[in-house]
Every structure is written in C-alpha cells, then in structure tokens.
Amino acid sequence: MHVPDGFIDAPTSAVTGVVAAGALAVSLRGARRELDERTAPLAGLVAAFIFAVQMLNFPVAAGTSGHLLGGALAAILVGPYTGVLCVSVVLLMQSILFADGGLTALGVNITDMAIVTTVVAYAVFRTLVKVLPRGRRSVTVASFVAALLSVPAAALVFTLLYAVGGTTDVALGKVATAMIGVHVLIGIGEAAITALTVGAVIAVRPDLVYGARGLQQRLKLRVNGELVDAASAHPVPTAARSHRKLWITGLVTSLVLAGFVSFYASASPDGLEKVAHDKGIDAKTAQHASDDSPLAGYGVKDVSDARLSGGLAGVIGVGVTVVAGSTVFWAVRRRRTQDLSATGTGA
C-alpha cells in the first residue's frame, strides 16, 4: 500500500499533505490523554513491531503478497491518536531510510495507511466491544473484524485519491475492483496478525491494552473444589506491574522478525504494486529521492550476502524506529505531565 512518487499528482499530494499535518497535530494533542508512564514505552515498541512485521510479506493470491498495515493493531494497543502517530513514524522511517513510499507521496501514505486504517478500525472496534459480551475474548474478536475492514477501506480511499489525482489514464472501475478485491484478501492476514498480537498481550498484561481498559479481574474463591467469583460488589482491578519484561520481549521479537524471519517473506509484489503493474498505474513512477540511501530496498549497501544485508537492514530499522517513536511519545507524555502540573497549580 506504500504509494511511490508519481502515482498521484502534485496538487492532490499537497492537499493530502495538509490533511496529514492537521491529523498529526490533532493526534499529538489527543495522545497526551492516552499516554502515561506505562503506555509511553509501549507506544514506541508498537511502532517498532509494526515496522518489523511490515517486512514479512505473506502470499495472498497468485503472484501477489500482502503485509500488515498496522493501524488497527496500534489503535487497539495504545489508542487511536497514539496509533496514528505510531504508523506515521513507521512510514517516515521507511520513506527516508529505505526508499519505501515516496517523499512527495508521504501525505498520501499517512492519510491512507495511518489515518484511514486507524479511524476505521477503532470505530469498528469500539462498536463491537459495546455489543459483544464483555470479556477478553470479545476484544480479540473485535480486533479481528476491525483489522479486516480497515485494509479494504484504505484500498478504497487510495482509489478515490487516484480518481482525483491519478497521473495515468486508467479506468476507475478497473482500479477499484482490483484494489479492493486483493486487499480484502490481505485484510484477512492483517486481521489474523492483529488478533493474535492483541490476544497475546491481553493474556499477560490486559492493563496495558488501551482497547481492553475496564476489563477487571474478580477475586476467586474455591467452593467445593471449583473456583468461583467472590460475592463482592467491587471487583479488584488487574494489578499494574512493571512493563519491562513485556517491552524486552516485544523488542527481541521485533528484532528476530526483522533480522531473521523477514528473509523468508514472500518476494511477490504487494497488492498495490501488482495492481499498478497490471493496470498501468505505475507508468509515471518517479525515482525516489532516497534511492541512494545506504539502506534503500531494505538492504545494507556494500554487503553482498543477501541474508546478512537484509537482516542488518531490518535490525537497524527496528532500532531507529523504536528510538524515534519512543522519543516522540516520551515528549508527548512529558507535555501531558506539564499540563497536569499547570492545572494542579492553577487549582
């Protein structure tokens, strides 16, 4: 779904750049309410994890692959505002360092891959958790459906942007049918990854999952050999514990995925690349401004061994993303602390 330079004309790219900038400004303010001393480190880790998993293209149809977009995962784990920032950090790192996604198309990519996926996914997620039985399993089910729908939604928005500012003369109906069709399949992979990840985190630290806030653990009593809920009208919240173990586990997992598992990812073009080639959308693709980057193409320049080159690039990418993301989110958290202090002083 990474749109390269040349697919969308300059005026449309500029407008989406303004939209993206405005959304990021709103998200920075909104993230102050979502981030605290526990979730700020997790947000940086989520960005790094999304970067790592996006390197793992999975086959979805003959000659086509897909990869995680991450908007649903980020929104559910750390909140919708913070989720927009997480995916945007990933897109920025990919564009500048790895020449993945055009620089002039950065506004298009943030609008489509960060804003649309996060907004759609979180709206669906919140709707479902309100109607489903309250519990951890419902959060996982809602995560699956929300992620599934977010991907074709992004494909639809790309089609609309192409209709407004596409640089090639291709029938809109053909683009829409191809884009939405293949991205429904990709959405299944997105949904599986999102649900598995959310379910895994909920299993060990439900207190750190933004979308699971309010889940509570009742005291258990053993009655006649069976555990039953205690007859207390006041359930005991799940205890807040150190997040260090989860953070280290998540970082190591991200490094292994990007540095080793990514070598076995599908080499087939992703959904947008395949559709663009088949329908002729890529006729005016422009050279990326970062093509001479030492990490362009997710490989380290002058390292001849493909496995080592790709692995090093993945590890570097995870490291840079977790540092950049953590810096942003700690700054946002610090601003929140200052705002709370100012409010308290004023009171």
Side-chain angles (χ1 to χ4, degrees):
M1 190 71 78
H2 293 78
V3 179
D5 295 321
F7 276 27
I8 306 296
D9 63 23
T12 306
S13 297
V15 170
T16 57
V18 173
V19 171
L24 290 177
V26 172
S27 296
L28 284 168
R29 291 185 61 86
R32 296 182 199 173
R33 299 190 298 271
E34 295 173 347
L35 294 172
D36 55 30
E37 66 279 357
R38 294 178 301 154
T39 55
L42 180 63
L45 177 62
V46 168
F49 183 77
I50 290 173
F51 174 91
V53 180
Q54 283 196 3
M55 294 183 67
L56 309 180
N57 280 48
F58 48 85
V60 294
T64 309
S65 70
H67 63 70
L68 183 80
L69 297 185
L73 178 62
I76 295 165
L77 287 180
V78 293
Y81 294 108
T82 308
V84 170
L85 298 178
C86 281
V87 181
S88 297
V89 167
V90 173
L91 293 173
L92 184 61
M93 295 299 102
Q94 290 171 331
S95 182
I96 293 176
L97 297 178
F98 298 92
D100 188 10
L103 286 176
T104 62
L106 188 58
V108 173
N109 285 320
I110 289 177
T111 299
D112 199 26
M113 294 178 65
I115 300 169
V116 171
T117 58
T118 301
V119 171
V120 170
Y122 199 69
V124 172
F125 175 81
R126 293 307 306 172
T127 300
L128 289 177
V129 294
K130 288 180 180 179
V131 299
L132 291 173
R134 189 66 174 165
R136 297 178 184 179
R137 184 175 300 177
S138 296
V139 172
T140 304
V141 171
S143 301
F144 184 95
V145 178
L148 174 62
L149 295 179
S150 70
V151 178
L156 176 61
V157 169
F158 168 79
T159 303
L160 295 175
L161 291 174
Y162 174 80
V164 174
T167 57
T168 53
D169 186 17
V170 179
L172 183 60
K174 293 182 179 180
V175 176
T177 301
M179 281 293 294
I180 296 174
V182 72
H183 283 90
V184 168
L185 299 177
I186 295 173
I188 297 173
E190 177 101 11
I193 294 170
T194 300
L196 288 172
T197 305
V198 171
V201 178
I202 286 180
V204 294
R205 292 299 304 271
D207 57 305
L208 291 182
V209 178
Y210 186 87
R213 289 184 177 181
L215 289 179
Q216 295 176 313
Q217 182 179 22
R218 289 184 177 276
L219 288 173
K220 297 286 185 179
L221 295 178
R222 186 172 295 278
V223 179
N224 296 326
E226 296 184 2
L227 288 176
V228 297
D229 288 336
S232 171
H234 303 287
V236 179
T238 303
R241 303 181 296 274
S242 170
H243 56 260
R244 183 177 302 173
K245 183 177 180 180
L246 176 65
W247 196 92
I248 293 174
T249 301
L251 180 60
V252 171
T253 301
S254 299
L255 290 171
V256 170
L257 291 175
F260 176 72
V261 181
S262 62
F263 182 78
Y264 301 97
S266 173
S268 299
D270 67 23
L272 177 59
E273 291 174 329
K274 178 66 172 175
V275 171
H277 177 73
D278 290 348
K279 304 301 179 183
I281 298 175
D282 59 356
K284 296 185 179 180
T285 303
Q287 183 178 3
H288 200 289
S290 297
D291 270 349
D292 58 350
S293 166
L295 297 174
Y298 295 94
V300 177
K301 188 177 181 180
D302 297 330
V303 176
S304 57
D305 184 272
R307 186 190 298 268
L308 179 59
S309 177
L312 286 174
V315 168
I316 292 170
V318 167
V320 171
T321 303
V322 75
V323 169
S326 297
T327 300
V328 170
F329 299 125
W330 275 111
V332 172
R333 174 184 171 269
R334 184 177 181 182
R335 182 63 181 271
R336 172 187 173 174
T337 303
Q338 292 173 344
D339 290 345
L340 291 175
S341 298
T343 301
T345 302

